Amino acid sequence: MPLNARMDAVGDYPFDRLRALLGALEPPTGVTPIPLSLGEPQHAPPAFLAETVARETAGWSKYPPMRGTEPARAAIAGWLTRRYGLPENMVDPETMVIPVSGTREALFMIALAAVPETKNGRKPVVLMPNPFYQVYLGAAVMAGAEPVFVPADSENGFLPDFASLPEDILERTALAYYCSPANPQGAIAPMETMKTLVNLARQHDFLLISDECYSELYYGAPPTGGAEACAALGDDGPGAMRNVVVMNSLSKRSSAPGLRSGFVAGDANLIKRFSRLRDYGGAPPPLPLLAAASALWSDEEHVVANRVLYAEKYVVAEEILGGKYGYYSPAGGFYLWLAVGDGEAAARALWGDAGVRVIPGEYLAREADGHHPGAGYIRLALVHDLETTRDALTRITKVL
Ligand SMILES: Cc1ncc(COP(=O)(O)O)c(C=O)c1O
């Protein structure tokens, strides 16, 4: 049966590659396995999440509206406005916000709404950092674009420099994914960089997607966001956030990856098109879950507490790993990006000898122009409690 050959260009997802790498290898007997491979927060979400869902039973008998509800859109616009100090009327909840069932689907699907057949008469390009969240690649390829991997390594502070790309690439760029705080390196883009990106998107008429799901996990100043950069460039009222959408999620901020809840906000024209696409193939958040999401966006207390838990783990990580494997304490996010030499060998040894599951950095990046920015690294997700994290990191130093 002939099938969509674009799938072949995407290749296996990193966790499938990890399963294949580890194969029949088992952790040592008697050792409790600790998975640090997946960025799946294990802190408890606030109790009002489940309480809200339990209360909103009427919503189970309704198809949820594709655009979410008015209170949910208002809660999201309110959060964005407070968090980034935006002008009061900049984010219109009715035309600029859509709640989504997690940002993974939205990051993927938006490319189908945004990438044209051709850009300036040629094959369109989708820019992404390298290493990167793998959904960007799937989206670019399935939308029929050429993915362009822009290195984000220690030489450039782990931030990709889209502005320095050749004119030939920028002319063909239809969409650019940017991630700050970055997964996996935890780098945070300063305001100047975010403004440059917005200007670049407008100058070359492409869509900038600012993936901000780690925005609330920071250990110094709060990260700048795409909406904040638009405001700093003078955006306000109708027409705000032209060429820009931001995405954020409750998976990391509220430790609720199972809720599958996030949002897309920005350029009203794009939101309208995205909304039409979702009419045909979207899965809007169920109403009881959307009510819980609205409550979570309206509360900061649990987010502050969550951030403290991560900060404590970085203190312990520094104690155990400081001075080893290029250790640095990231500005944001919840990962460690360690330079171990051979990432695959390290992942096998850590699983087989210590029961700690990590992912080789190689699987999170692609070789481009003879350079592989993920080679030699492993990524660790510090998603467990403090004691489990301490145990895992101690085991790691013993094996490596
Ligand atoms: C960079 C990045 N973007 C987006 C997501 C998707 O998050 P969710 O679908 O849970 O909102 C993740 C999840 O790990 C991520 O690391």
Side-chain angles (χ1 to χ4, degrees):
M1 177 169 53
L3 296 172
N4 190 341
R6 284 179 186 164
M7 288 299 297
D8 304 325
V10 176
D12 284 339
Y13 206 65
F15 298 106
D16 289 327
R17 294 178 69 186
L18 179 61
R19 265 187 291 276
L21 174 77
L22 299 181
L25 204 61
E26 295 279 348
T29 36
V31 168
T32 311
I34 306 178
L36 300 186
S37 43
L38 193 61
E40 180 186 62
Q42 297 300 298
H43 302 165
F48 67 78
L49 190 173
E51 288 159 12
T52 310
V53 175
R55 214 173 33 240
E56 296 286 326
T57 51
W60 296 124
S61 312
K62 290 198 163 69
Y63 278 117
M66 276 295 172
R67 300 275 334 271
T69 59
E70 194 277 321
R73 289 191 296 272
I76 291 164
W79 179 79
L80 272 171
T81 306
R82 286 191 305 279
R83 165 66 173 80
Y84 296 107
L86 307 178
E88 275 305 316
N89 296 318
M90 183 178 134
V91 181
D92 174 13
E94 292 315 303
T95 59
M96 293 175 64
V97 174
I98 305 189
V100 292
S101 299
T103 50
R104 179 197 192 99
E105 278 85 349
L107 285 162
F108 178 82
M109 219 176 162
I110 204 162
L112 303 180
V115 174
E117 288 291 318
T118 57
K119 173 91 186 274
N120 289 326
R122 291 188 297 155
K123 185 169 170 126
V125 154
V126 171
L127 306 179
M128 63 196 72
N130 194 19
F132 56 95
Y133 182 51
Q134 300 290 298
V135 171
Y136 308 158
L137 175 62
V141 171
M142 296 312 286
E146 175 187 333
V148 168
F149 307 105
V150 186
D153 42 29
S154 53
E155 278 115 75
N156 52 20
F158 296 118
L159 293 170
D161 187 1
F162 291 170
S164 72
L165 287 167
E167 197 58 29
D168 173 61
I169 297 286
L170 291 171
E171 265 177 17
R172 290 199 289 138
T173 300
L175 189 157
Y177 289 103
Y178 196 81
C179 184
S180 168
N183 169 4
Q185 317 94 322
I188 292 180
M191 172 60 108
E192 277 315 304
T193 304
M194 293 306 292
K195 286 204 293 196
T196 301
L197 280 167
V198 172
N199 283 330
L200 195 72
R202 290 177 178 169
Q203 193 187 338
H204 294 275
D205 211 10
F206 64 77
L207 177 67
L208 172 67
I209 299 183
S210 184
D211 180 359
E212 303 180 353
C213 67
Y214 296 97
S215 69
E216 303 318 287
L217 306 182
Y218 54 82
Y219 311 106
T224 303
E228 190 179 8
C230 290
L233 290 169
D235 284 21
D236 192 5
M241 296 185 73
R242 185 168 55 85
N243 292 63
V244 179
V245 300
V246 299
M247 296 204 192
N248 214 318
S249 168
L250 293 168
S251 301
K252 325 289 180 184
R253 162 191 151 91
S254 299
S255 299
L259 181 62
R260 308 309 304 124
S261 189
F263 70 77
V264 181
D267 187 316
N269 285 329
L270 203 283
I271 294 289
K272 197 168 162 188
R273 281 192 93 73
F274 183 51
S275 192
R276 193 197 295 170
L277 178 70
R278 288 170 56 74
D279 282 338
Y280 285 92
L287 287 169
L289 306 189
L290 199 55
S294 307
L296 289 166
W297 288 115
S298 305
D299 180 77
E300 286 308 308
E301 212 177 304
H302 76 280
V303 184
V304 174
N306 196 27
R307 200 156 45 232
V308 168
L309 296 178
Y310 286 109
E312 286 169 358
K313 287 186 268 189
Y314 281 114
V315 173
V316 168
E318 174 98 47
E319 277 167 23
I320 300 174
L321 299 174
K324 302 186 177 89
Y325 330 116
Y327 177 88
Y328 64 95
S329 209
F334 53 48
Y335 297 105
L336 293 180
W337 185 235
L338 301 180
V340 292
D342 182 337
E344 285 188 330
R348 280 183 64 85
L350 289 172
W351 184 240
D353 299 344
V356 179
R357 204 172 177 99
V358 304
I359 190 146
E362 210 176 314
Y363 299 176
L364 306 173
R366 288 290 184 283
E367 184 172 328
D369 302 324
H371 175 51
H372 198 315
Y377 285 91
I378 52 172
R379 187 191 75 174
L380 279 53
L382 303 188
V383 289
H384 298 279
D385 61 53
L386 186 64
E387 284 322 305
T388 308
T389 304
R390 189 193 301 277
D391 183 7
L393 300 184
T394 308
R395 292 189 207 173
I396 285 173
T397 50
K398 283 187 187 144
V399 171
L400 295 184

